[in-house]
Amino acid sequence: MNIVTKDIRFGNEILTLTNQRVLYWQAQEMLILSDIHIGKTAHFRQHGIAIPDAVLLKDLERLKFLIEHFQPKQLMVVGDLFHADYNQNFDVFIHWMEQFQDVTKILIRGNHDRFKVEFYENLGFQTHIQKTINTLTFVHDAVKVVANSYYISGHMHPGVRIKMKGRQYLKLPCFQVNSQQLILPAFSLFTGLNTRTHLENVVNYAFTEDAVLEL
C-alpha cells in the first residue's frame, strides 16, 4: 500500500492528510479517521444483498498498515465506528483490535453509533459527543461554526467530480477544508461519495493511490 501525505495548517496546528483516508496529527501522535461502518457488509447480507466480508477485511488490513506506519499513541474515530445492530462483523473487529491494546482509543459518537456508552467502553473506547483538543473541536457532523473555533468532522463522505474528456467524469474521495472546518473522507471503501458541499471557500484535497491533489 502506497502512502502519500500532504501537510496543511488548520487551526494553528500542522495536520498531515493522506491518500489512505486518514489524518495524522503529529503533535498529539494521533491517527484520525471517520466512518468505518463496521457491520455494514453483514447488515447488507442479512437483507439479501451478497456483500462479502472481504470488504471489511480489506478496510481492517489498511487500518493495521496505517497504525503500524504512523505508530500513533492515540486513535480517534470521528463517528460511525459501527453501522447497524450487532452482527458477525463486530466479532471480527473486536478480535482484530486485541493487537492494539496499547493505543488509546477515542470515539466521537456518530449517528450510527447507537449502543450504550458501556458497550464502547468495554471495547476500550473513550466516548464523546464532542471533544476539543487545543484549538481543534471534533464532532461527527458539521456544526454551525463559532468565531475563533476550528472543527473536524466526518459524516458527509465527501468527494469531488473531475471533468474528463467529453462527457466523462472521474469521482474521487477528498478532504474538504475551509478556514474553520475540515471534513474527513469516509475510511471504509464500502461507502458512496457525496460530491456536494455546503462549505464556503472550500479547498478539496482529493487523492488517488499515487497523489494528493489540491482542487
Side-chain angles (χ1 to χ4, degrees):
M1 186 172 70
N2 187 33
I3 298 177
V4 181
T5 64
K6 181 177 182 63
D7 289 346
I8 65 169
R9 181 175 290 277
F10 180 76
N12 298 317
E13 300 286 346
I14 300 299
L15 304 176
T16 301
L17 311 181
T18 79
N19 68 327
Q20 297 298 335
R21 301 175 179 240
V22 300
L23 179 72
Y24 186 60
W25 188 2
Q26 175 64 52
Q28 296 291 323
E29 296 184 84
M30 178 183 287
L31 193 68
I32 303 164
L33 60 150
S34 185
D35 297 277
I36 308 179
H37 289 280
I38 301 295
K40 188 173 183 179
T41 55
H43 177 73
F44 272 57
R45 285 199 303 275
Q46 289 171 354
H47 290 78
I49 302 174
I51 305 296
D53 274 343
V55 176
L56 169 64
L57 297 176
K58 187 172 183 179
D59 283 343
L60 295 181
E61 180 182 343
R62 288 168 46 237
L63 184 52
K64 179 180 180 180
F65 185 91
L66 290 161
I67 292 172
E68 291 176 344
H69 175 82
F70 286 104
Q71 293 290 304
K73 291 184 178 178
Q74 302 182 80
L75 176 70
M76 178 180 285
V77 179
V78 189
D80 288 356
L81 172 62
F82 296 113
H83 181 77
D85 294 334
Y86 199 104
N87 59 47
Q88 65 190 53
N89 286 167
F90 286 49
D91 296 327
V92 172
F93 177 67
I94 291 168
H95 177 71
W96 177 88
M97 280 200 310
E98 291 175 356
Q99 64 194 307
F100 300 115
Q101 294 185 13
D102 293 337
V103 178
T104 298
K105 303 170 189 69
I106 304 166
L107 172 64
I108 307 301
R109 296 182 66 173
N111 55 299
H112 281 277
D113 299 313
R114 300 166 185 162
F115 298 103
K116 293 181 179 180
V117 170
E118 292 78 12
F119 174 80
Y120 303 102
E121 290 178 344
N122 288 337
L123 296 181
F125 281 88
Q126 304 171 15
T127 66
H128 306 269
I129 298 300
Q130 181 172 301
K131 184 175 177 63
T132 299
I133 304 174
N134 294 351
T135 62
L136 305 183
T137 295
F138 296 87
V139 61
H140 179 59
D141 198 359
V143 296
K144 184 175 181 180
V145 299
V146 176
N148 301 315
S149 297
Y150 305 91
Y151 302 88
I152 294 180
S153 61
H155 184 61
M156 299 301 295
H157 304 187
V160 293
R161 290 178 65 187
I162 301 174
K163 193 175 188 306
M164 308 296 283
K165 290 183 179 179
R167 296 183 178 180
Q168 294 183 328
Y169 287 85
L170 174 65
K171 282 187 178 182
L172 294 175
C174 68
F175 297 84
Q176 291 183 334
V177 186
N178 69 8
S179 60
Q180 287 186 270
Q181 292 180 274
L182 188 161
I183 301 179
L184 299 164
F187 182 77
S188 177
L189 299 178
F190 188 36
T191 53
L193 294 177
N194 177 8
T195 58
R196 298 181 180 182
T197 181
H198 65 281
L199 298 186
E200 297 181 355
N201 303 314
V202 67
V203 177
N204 295 306
Y205 293 94
F207 47 85
T208 67
E209 279 299 308
D210 301 308
V212 177
L213 311 169
E214 184 175 342
L215 303 173

